[in-house]
Amino acid sequence: QVQLVESGGGLVQAGGSLRLSCAASGRTFGSYPMGWFRQAPGKEREFVAAKTTSGGATYYADSVKGRFIISRDNAKNTVGLQMNSLKPEDTAVYYCAARAGSYYRSPASTDEYTYWGQGTQVTVSS
């Protein structure tokens, strides 16, 4: 019943911006951590950003800190990712993730998350 659906991906020129959104259904995740990961061909899925709750702690990978902003909207049960100053190395499939519980020690670990979206492609051209 739980479903996470990402949207907002696309092709953008280096230096541009995109905003990803993840809509969750089947469960309310306002009290639980949600995050974003990405995976490029030939590479492992890597952590991008996470937020425990709408007003909780925020975590970013060093590679995106200062450029990406994660947000939570409990009323809409969504998590967003504003991506600015995009670089070609940001090209990847971006996945939304959510936990089934509040226990949270390693936001950068894929093992911390129970539910995953189908992914949305982000391509950054030079």
Side-chain angles (χ1 to χ4, degrees):
Q1 294 183 9
V2 175
Q3 186 176 24
L4 274 58
V5 179
E6 302 96 335
S7 62
L11 193 155
V12 65
Q13 188 174 344
S17 299
L18 284 174
R19 189 181 191 280
L20 306 183
S21 182
C22 173
S25 61
R27 181 173 181 171
T28 300
F29 290 96
S31 299
Y32 303 130
M34 297 184 73
W36 289 94
F37 291 76
R38 66 187 182 187
Q39 187 169 23
K43 295 186 177 182
E44 295 183 343
R45 187 169 298 187
E46 67 176 355
F47 170 74
V48 176
K51 195 169 180 63
T52 55
T53 66
S54 62
T58 303
Y59 306 89
Y60 294 98
D62 289 341
S63 60
V64 306
K65 189 179 293 292
R67 300 188 298 121
F68 292 9
I69 302 171
I70 189 171
S71 61
R72 300 283 298 273
D73 188 335
N74 289 346
K76 297 181 179 180
N77 206 27
T78 61
V79 58
L81 185 68
Q82 178 66 45
M83 305 186 295
N84 301 315
S85 301
L86 284 163
K87 306 174 181 179
E89 50 263 45
D90 294 319
T91 296
V93 176
Y94 283 70
Y95 296 90
C96 172
R99 281 183 57 82
S102 60
Y103 187 76
Y104 201 50
R105 295 186 68 254
S106 301
S109 174
T110 58
D111 294 336
E112 293 282 346
Y113 300 89
T114 307
Y115 304 104
W116 295 84
Q118 83 288 348
T120 184
Q121 177 70 46
V122 172
T123 302
V124 184
S125 62
S126 300

